[in-house]
Amino acid sequence: LALPLEPQNAADELPCSLAPVDPAHDWNSASVKGSWRGSGAVGDEAFMRSPQAELRPFARGRFVIFAELSGIPADVRLNFPPIGVVIMQGAGEGVALSELSPLLHHVPPQQGLLWGGAVVHCMLEAVDTPYVVMPYLPDFAQVIKVYPKLGYRTTVYSDVEFTLQGDDSCGGEHCDYNCRNCPMFEVYERLMKLEVGVDQHLSYLATLSI
């Protein structure tokens, strides 16, 4: 829903109304995910082993890009490893960058965040050669020792159409099966409901005296 605000003057309250968001004004979104094969600080040799995703806008538009960590136990999520993200001009469709190119946008890692991610908010032009989006971990060698199942997810939102391609795969050890396009989504939804029912039964049985 769109929420238009129409202030009359500084002393007045803001009247508002709700209206459906038309498809033409809605956000397009896509995401890729996978495992870390390596990473490092920008400029380090290991940096180029960071995950790469190809982003191709079909028109000039606003983009909000989230780079997030996964595979971290819930009990330690108040101390996420710092992650950064860069956007660079790619070398060609399906061609992984092997060396650092000029950074078009860069959000460096920040300490003390309550969630494991970095966000880029920018304008991007339509291009024939896709941009490359790279999340990175400056302390990868240390982090992967603590979290050996560490994964990543790159999610893109835009007010224009685009494509996003990465080295993600459906399923695997980092898959949480929460993508509605996943063929396993409905199966896991049913299993979760069954599990809830079984847990309720066991909880009741535990209250009975033997």
Side-chain angles (χ1 to χ4, degrees), residues 28-32 53-59 63 65 93-94 124-133 154-158 160-166:
N28 301 289
S29 65
S31 65
V32 295
E54 294 184 352
L55 172 61
R56 174 183 285 179
F58 294 136
F63 283 81
I65 301 170
E93 186 171 356
L124 292 176
E125 304 289 339
V127 289
D128 293 327
T129 301
Y131 299 103
V132 172
V133 181
T154 300
T155 305
V156 178
Y157 296 87
S158 179
V160 299
E161 293 186 356
F162 65 91
T163 59
L164 181 69
Q165 300 291 331

Side-chain angles (χ1 to χ4, degrees), residues 22 36 58 68 80 104 115 127 131 137 153 155 166 177 184:
D22 297 327
W36 292 87
F58 294 136
E68 301 171 276
F80 275 104
L104 303 178
W115 67 293
V127 289
Y131 299 103
L137 289 167
R153 172 173 293 170
T155 305
Y177 299 99
M184 293 297 293

Side-chain angles (χ1 to χ4, degrees), residues 56-138:
R56 174 183 285 179
F58 294 136
R60 185 176 189 271
R62 296 180 297 163
F63 283 81
V64 182
I65 301 170
F66 294 82
E68 301 171 276
L69 296 174
S70 61
I72 297 179
D75 58 345
V76 295
R77 287 184 178 175
L78 294 182
N79 188 25
F80 275 104
I83 179 178
V85 60
V86 301
I87 301 176
M88 297 182 288
Q89 185 61 57
E93 186 171 356
V95 179
L97 292 178
S98 58
E99 59 183 20
L100 190 67
S101 64
L103 304 183
L104 303 178
H105 300 279
H106 179 202
V107 174
Q110 298 182 46
Q111 296 282 356
L113 295 181
L114 297 182
W115 67 293
V119 184
V120 178
H121 188 189
C122 62
M123 298 291 296
L124 292 176
E125 304 289 339
V127 289
D128 293 327
T129 301
Y131 299 103
V132 172
V133 181
M134 292 179 63
Y136 70 94
L137 289 167

Side-chain angles (χ1 to χ4, degrees), residues 23-35:
H25 300 93
D26 206 353
W27 288 93
N28 301 289
S29 65
S31 65
V32 295
K33 59 185 180 296
S35 305

